[in-house]
Amino acid sequence: MVYRPTANTEARKVKVRERLLKSGLELVAEGGFKKATIGAVAKRAGVASGTVYSYFNSKTHLSTEIFQLGTEREVAKVHEALTQEGDITTRLENATRVFMTRAMKGRTLAFAMIAEAVDEELDDERRRYREVWAHTYEPILQEGIDTGYLPPQSAAITAAGLVGSMAEVMVGPLSSKTEQFEDTELVDTMVAFCLRAVGLCAQATNPAPTC
């Protein structure tokens, strides 16, 4: 007789897998991907190390899925800010503030996601999610271009530029043990930069003046 997992068995497996990823993300937030070893994740999740390999075939596989979980959460927060009520200036400003302030509050996790030295497979995933980030910004930029709120430009290129700029400017502050900038200064400056980059001014009204 061929063994077929019951619904309860499958549900337990899903919960264990979720617990492993949650534990891994907690460890990355505490000390980066280098801290999220197979043994450490297993211990945090309350399972044997061998159990981890029932769900992930390698440390890289585990790290990649931890990265996906963490990044998807942040993308969801930015997407929420971009799709709330308000004019384009307000939504872009709010999304930038969400991205920057969440990164500054969770510095270790943000640095791990953005710039920690990792193996090639995880670095490929990081590049792929940069594209996901950019695609999150494209609809609002295209909306602005189509309505004349923003000057003519490529929504795809501008979105990639915004995401790349925000990620790059965070590397120094996130990795440094000394305060290079006040958090509010860093966030406010990047908000102004991002608005200017797309052709807007802070506190703009509809139709927005270009800068």
Side-chain angles (χ1 to χ4, degrees):
M1 179 180 295
V2 177
Y3 170 73
R4 290 183 175 82
T6 65
N8 287 339
T9 299
E10 290 299 313
R12 284 197 296 272
K13 287 182 177 180
V14 169
K15 288 183 178 180
V16 172
R17 196 175 198 282
E18 290 175 346
R19 192 163 74 247
L20 288 168
L21 289 173
K22 180 177 180 290
S23 297
L25 190 60
E26 290 173 354
L27 288 164
V28 173
E30 293 170 8
F33 282 101
K34 61 182 178 294
K35 185 171 182 178
T37 63
I38 294 291
V41 171
K43 183 177 180 180
R44 177 69 62 93
V47 300
S49 295
T51 301
V52 180
Y53 289 103
S54 298
Y55 298 88
F56 309 97
N57 55 34
S58 66
K59 167 67 161 53
T60 297
H61 182 197
L62 173 62
S63 295
T64 298
E65 295 217 21
I66 291 170
F67 176 86
Q68 291 171 351
L69 175 62
T71 303
E72 285 167 3
R73 287 182 179 179
E74 299 308 309
V75 170
K77 292 294 184 181
V78 170
H79 181 265
E80 180 181 351
L82 288 171
T83 53
Q84 288 180 348
E85 292 186 0
D87 61 31
I88 290 173
T89 302
T90 300
R91 285 182 281 157
L92 282 172
E93 177 174 348
N94 289 344
T96 304
R97 290 190 183 281
V98 166
F99 177 89
M100 300 291 289
T101 55
R102 286 179 64 83
M104 299 306 290
K105 287 179 180 178
R107 293 171 184 264
T108 302
L109 178 60
F111 181 78
M113 296 295 175
I114 293 171
E116 182 182 345
V118 292
D119 59 39
E120 184 176 354
E121 185 175 336
L122 184 52
D123 205 36
D124 286 342
E125 192 69 7
R126 180 182 284 160
R127 285 191 289 271
R128 189 177 75 82
Y129 266 89
R130 285 283 183 92
E131 295 178 3
V132 173
W133 277 107
H135 291 328
T136 304
Y137 278 87
E138 277 187 50
I140 190 173
L141 296 176
Q142 193 61 57
E143 175 189 338
I145 296 163
D146 292 343
T147 59
Y149 193 93
L150 296 178
Q153 58 195 289
S154 166
I157 294 174
T158 300
L162 288 179
V163 170
S165 297
M166 284 189 284
E168 184 62 29
V169 82
M170 294 300 292
V171 174
L174 291 175
S175 62
S176 176
K177 294 182 179 179
T178 59
E179 293 291 338
Q180 295 178 304
F181 310 99
E182 292 288 339
D183 287 1
T184 53
E185 176 190 10
L186 182 61
V187 175
D188 289 346
T189 299
M190 281 308 297
V191 166
F193 172 84
C194 288
L195 293 179
R196 288 196 303 269
V198 302
L200 293 171
C201 293
Q203 307 301 322
T205 55
N206 192 0
T210 57
C211 303

